[in-house]
Amino acid sequence: MTPKTTLFIVFTFMTGWLRAQTVISGTVKDTRGHPVRGASITIKDSYDGATVDSTGAFRFKTTETGPHTLTITNIGYFPVEQPINPSGEAITLHIAMKEQLSELKAVTITAGSFTAGDAKRGAVLSSLDVATTAGSNADITAALKTLPGAQQVGESEGLFVRGGAGYEAKQYIDGTLVNNPYFSSVPDIASRGRFSPFLFKGTVFSTGGYSALYGQALSSVVLLESIDLPEKSEIDASISPIIVGLGTQQLAKNKKSSYGFSYNYVNVGLYFKAVKQVPDYYKMPQFHNGDANFRIRTKNGGMIKYYTTFAYSDLGLRRQDVDTLNAKNAFGITNHNWYNNLSWREYLNNGWKMDLGASFSTNLDNLGQQVQDAHNQLKTFPDSVFWMNFKTFAVDQRQELSQIKAVFDKKLGGISSIRFGGEYWYAYNYQHYRTQQYNIDSTYKFRDHYNAVFAESDIFLTNELAAKLGVRFEHSSVIRRSDLAPRVSLAYRTAPDAQVSLAYGIFYQKPENSQLFYTTNVGFTKATHYIVNYQKMSKDRIFRVEAYYKKYEDLIKTVPVSYNYSIYNNSGSGYAKGVELFWRDKKTIKDFDYWISYSFLDTKRNYLNYTEQLVPNFAAKHTASIVTKKFFTKIKSGFNLTYSYATGRPYYNFRLAGGPKFDLAQQGKTKSYQALNFSAEYVPTIGNPKARTFVVLFASVSNLLGYNAVYGYNFSYSGQYKQPITPPANRFYFIGCFLSWGVDRSQDAINNNL
Amino acid sequence: MRKTLFALTLLASLAVSAQSDKYTQMMQKNISLLDSAKSIDELQSLAGTFDRIGDAEKTKWLPYYYAALAQTWVGWNPATKDKDGNSAKINAYLAKAEAIEKNAELYAVENMSATQQMLVDPQSRWMTYGKTAGEALQKGLQADPNNPRLYYLQGMSLFGTPPQFGGGKDKAKPLFEKSVSLYKSAHPEPLAPTWGQKQAEDMLAQCN
């Protein structure tokens, strides 16, 4: 035998010996016994291993012998290491893998809250949905009214949520409260919100049970999160018979900062000439709005954002007086509003996050009313009908609010986290009231230092079970009161796409400015929420059902002193309970998107001048909306229809009886409310990447069928006449053209990154 | 003594070549299995096998590339419901490969991974995943302007976009033509990716 043949034999023998195979088999399951399909099993530093099949089983052969480490890995699970010692005898293993907690997989608490946003998980509506909901005309509040929980109140702005009055719902931008979120309004005519939906990347509409980070709202908060850096630099223009506007956003070349400003002018003069309004507008409503912003991305991925807006508006109108056919009430209002918001979000070391916010706003209304005769001249009355003379008055009022807020957030192992912080508000409110006839000239003012500290923790026990525990301590200097508000919510996932959430919380709110001018010896009003929610959500469909009970305590009651002077106390109370349904479906009919909301509300309260617990005049028992949207790609156009319905609301005439106290002189119920709204958009440049000019043509008609809405009644002094409260016109038409010229830097960015 | 030494040296060198032969053999065997694999379990298992080869070899990007590719074929299967979860796996394999080498083939897989996530909800995901997919193609073409798979994928993207949005057969056709001609003139190295020629030819036929 040559050495070579010897070697050959040795080598063959060795290989044969190496090939002494061990069969390794078994199962890989998660802690609840479900198979972990696709998990990879490997003998470390060898090619040998297997992948777990759909039943959770695996099986492979190895020629390795001696002590080795078997590793079992799968994305989303903690890796497992298992020592083995293959020696030819079959090895059977049963391995349990523990799922990692992941923000993407973890359940989110949905009780009481609707999330709208583009990148948000669990979003019910996107920002574009807000703009394209027929009847909203890009007003955030109007779009939110198509969701369950909100009332179809047309005579006053604000969100009337679950038996709560409009002032019980508050808006927050980037964490700080907005003092005057709506344009100043005329009695019995609702006004729009000041902020465009396109300023925000995310909107949360909470109808109750919200986080301890927010306070001073008994029934609802709307949390608006402004966009970070814009996608690209652009110039925008809008042209319509009602509004002209021009603005720009400039994104720095390195995409780390941006700035922008815009201006628009609204004048409805031309429109009111073409479309007859019931009131006689002697000063055509006009608005000047300007805004500016800058945004900076910091080194660690944080954001500094500043936004400011200035608005001026002026209008005057005459309406028929309710007491005498020979007189008209001429009401005029001029408003100046300046709003500033500065926020800084920063990611610090060791899982800490910091959110700082500061805001300052000042709002000045100069308003007045005059009773006028047929020639539009001031009309005065004898003292026997003194109440007519009180209808001629002038008021100057100013509200200023400065705020700072800090929230610190710390990630605890995994995805659980704690956050805590505080806020301080300094409010200055001033009112100057005058009536010529009786030489009344009174000035009211107060300052309030409001402090709050809060702490909250998000606890994820598994990906299926989450809890949020929070508490808020508040103190208001003007009423010299403090309170402690606990908040708790839980979510449990019952199926991959279904979950149950519970929420409980106590909410406090200061009395309104108009009450604090007269009485500061009052305490916080209080509401306690109990909410249970079930949600089933897939990519194209959402089904939600929510039931709640809300208890109102310490509501403000009016104690009349004389005809035009009252003081206030906290002796009011009430409740609200109801069930709400929401269904959205983008799947059943191709390219057709619709949602249906239904709210059942049972509520009563004794507050202000109510003589006992009554259904408030803003509450309808049944409210429903159907929102539909269809986009036709072929003609690059979208058509949207919204139908809203609400059963009639009660109305009351509370008269000042001798005493002085209020009597319920008359009550009734309005007819039911309905409206069919339509809007359409035409986007000729959609999908054309070469288009330099992006064009959107938009048209809308609200109340297409011309249904005569009656929101309630105003009563004459005698109580013998009542005047329906109706919108200024049956229908509202809008047509506009929106243009933008974009400078797309995405190509530059790609080239720079290479 | 000399003989023994010689024998030992020979044995050692044989063992080394056996090891690298084992890599080539294993890769060839599994690449051909990948070419014929259909079921999710088969593809999933192959992704795991390639990943193990990559982990054992430590310096080779190709095993991770094939692991990502196998996982991508899992993603194209309509029975795979959790596209985001599947893309997370693809992207994890890609990250391992890219730690060793960045190249056009990896960008091609990145494009498919992002496209699969975009298709979950094109309307709302177009701005995010659609952008990532487009950027991956651009980066790939910068790295290798003659990669036939990138032109095929670019063609697929345009083919699937409605004409109103700047896509359509007419726009896709020249890209498929370019892809097919590049496939015909390509001389891939051993173990290098070769997939896509038949698909590109089929798509070109559909454009006519």
Side-chain angles (χ1 to χ4, degrees), chain A residues 41 45 47 539 633 686-687, chain B residues 10 52 57-58 120 164-165:
Chain A
I41 295 145
D45 296 320
Y47 286 3
K539 191 186 80 176
T633 316
I686 195 165
Chain B
L10 190 64
R52 277 191 291 281
E57 292 294 331
K58 295 190 171 64
V120 169
Q164 295 85 355
F165 295 93

Side-chain angles (χ1 to χ4, degrees), chain A residues 476-511:
Chain A
S476 160
S477 72
V478 65
I479 55 173
R480 301 171 304 279
R481 304 290 172 99
S482 303
D483 68 58
L484 193 67
R487 317 274 167 92
V488 180
S489 45
L490 287 169
Y492 179 68
R493 185 182 286 139
T494 52
D497 57 353
Q499 63 171 71
V500 173
S501 310
L502 299 169
Y504 159 82
I506 296 180
F507 302 83
Y508 292 100
Q509 186 171 343
K510 281 189 291 184

Side-chain angles (χ1 to χ4, degrees), chain A residues 553-575:
Chain A
E553 290 164 276
D554 305 332
L555 292 179
I556 295 298
K557 283 288 296 171
T558 309
V559 182
V561 175
S562 68
Y563 175 76
N564 70 332
Y565 190 85
S566 301
I567 58 167
Y568 300 92
N569 66 31
N570 283 97
S571 63
S573 64
Y575 71 89

Side-chain angles (χ1 to χ4, degrees), chain A residues 603-668:
Chain A
T603 182
K604 277 188 179 177
R605 55 166 57 194
N606 181 3
Y607 85 135
L608 300 180
N609 50 6
Y610 281 30
T611 48
E612 59 190 295
Q613 279 209 353
L614 295 164
V615 178
N617 59 356
F618 50 78
K621 196 161 202 164
H622 304 277
T623 306
S625 289
I626 302 171
V627 177
T628 63
K629 300 173 189 216
K630 185 152 174 71
F631 196 88
F632 296 90
T633 316
K634 268 208 178 119
I635 53 168
K636 302 179 182 189
S637 300
F639 299 93
N640 319 300
L641 272 176
T642 300
Y643 175 75
S644 296
Y645 173 85
T647 51
R649 291 189 263 137
Y651 60 82
Y652 304 106
N653 181 24
F654 297 107
R655 289 191 72 216
L656 200 57
K661 68 185 249 312
F662 289 106
D663 263 354
L664 177 52
Q666 198 183 339
Q667 61 177 313

Side-chain angles (χ1 to χ4, degrees), chain B residues 131-159:
Chain B
K131 206 171 152 191
T132 311
E135 283 174 2
L137 270 187
Q138 294 302 324
K139 285 181 196 165
L141 288 168
Q142 293 258 348
D144 177 9
N146 290 314
N147 186 303
R149 276 165 291 282
L150 289 169
Y151 290 99
Y152 162 68
L153 291 172
Q154 204 171 18
M156 284 305 286
S157 156
L158 284 175
F159 190 85

